[in-house]
Amino acid sequence: MLITCILKDDVVYLPTVAKTEAGFYMDREPVALVPVTNTDALRQALEDAARRGNPIVPTPKRNAFPPPVLPKYAGEKSWSKFMQGASEWTIAEHNGTYRIVPYRKDPTGGPSWVEDRDHKIDLPPGTRADEAFERMITILQGAARK
């Protein structure tokens, strides 16, 4: 399971994260938009994203790659505009173990975002999904206060 959470202007965007047949991930609809201050709605959106899982989809052709889905939800025309002032995290479960990873702008100056492995959080084995989601909510709400 892989869930993406993007915080922008006190709203958390939670897209459905699909896995392509080639093995990479893409954000798709449906997308949940939740005020970061609404703890119950955030919890529900994380649970819903986990239930949707990561559907397998055909790998798009390079010349027919779909545009990013999130910018339109914020009224932006491009991914780079959408990501200005945004923060991104993923929460992943693998073999019953959860990891929360923040992302940062590519330090080489590229347009992409990369994992900030120095600040990843490996939750202890045996951590339940609801506990992992509470930790993610705490992180999102703390980031919004900064």
Side-chain angles (χ1 to χ4, degrees), residues 92-138:
E93 180 271 330
H94 184 70
N95 293 330
T97 302
Y98 289 88
R99 172 180 282 174
I100 297 173
V101 179
Y103 280 69
R104 59 188 168 97
K105 290 186 180 184
D106 186 341
T108 65
S112 64
W113 287 60
V114 297
E115 289 184 359
D116 184 352
R117 293 185 179 170
D118 293 337
H119 295 96
K120 72 179 183 329
I121 301 168
D122 289 315
L123 299 175
T127 299
R128 297 184 323 264
D130 63 318
E131 295 170 317
F133 296 159
E134 291 302 319
R135 183 71 178 271
M136 185 74 255
I137 291 167
T138 299

Side-chain angles (χ1 to χ4, degrees), residues 12 14 32-48 51 130 133-134 137-138 141:
V12 179
L14 292 112
L33 279 67
V34 182
V36 71
T37 56
N38 190 333
T39 303
D40 291 336
L42 272 176
R43 185 178 303 112
Q44 186 64 54
L46 287 163
E47 291 170 1
D48 291 346
R51 269 191 293 283
D130 63 318
F133 296 159
E134 291 302 319
I137 291 167
T138 299
Q141 291 176 338

Side-chain angles (χ1 to χ4, degrees), residues 2-140:
L2 178 70
I3 300 171
T4 296
C5 302
I6 298 177
L7 173 65
K8 179 178 177 68
D9 299 329
D10 293 329
V11 174
V12 179
Y13 297 78
L14 292 112
T16 298
V17 180
K19 186 175 184 178
T20 66
E21 291 169 343
F24 62 88
Y25 292 90
M26 299 175 51
D27 294 340
R28 302 208 20 172
E29 294 179 325
V31 176
L33 279 67
V34 182
V36 71
T37 56
N38 190 333
T39 303
D40 291 336
L42 272 176
R43 185 178 303 112
Q44 186 64 54
L46 287 163
E47 291 170 1
D48 291 346
R51 269 191 293 283
R52 283 193 305 270
N54 304 114
I56 306 295
V57 298
T59 303
K61 303 288 183 207
R62 187 175 294 273
N63 61 351
F65 206 86
V69 299
L70 296 177
K72 73 179 179 182
Y73 287 93
E76 301 289 355
K77 295 185 187 286
S78 69
W79 179 253
S80 61
K81 283 285 190 188
F82 172 74
M83 289 305 288
Q84 287 177 359
S87 302
E88 180 177 357
W89 293 264
T90 58
I91 182 167
E93 180 271 330
H94 184 70
N95 293 330
T97 302
Y98 289 88
R99 172 180 282 174
I100 297 173
V101 179
Y103 280 69
R104 59 188 168 97
K105 290 186 180 184
D106 186 341
T108 65
S112 64
W113 287 60
V114 297
E115 289 184 359
D116 184 352
R117 293 185 179 170
D118 293 337
H119 295 96
K120 72 179 183 329
I121 301 168
D122 289 315
L123 299 175
T127 299
R128 297 184 323 264
D130 63 318
E131 295 170 317
F133 296 159
E134 291 302 319
R135 183 71 178 271
M136 185 74 255
I137 291 167
T138 299
I139 290 167
L140 290 164

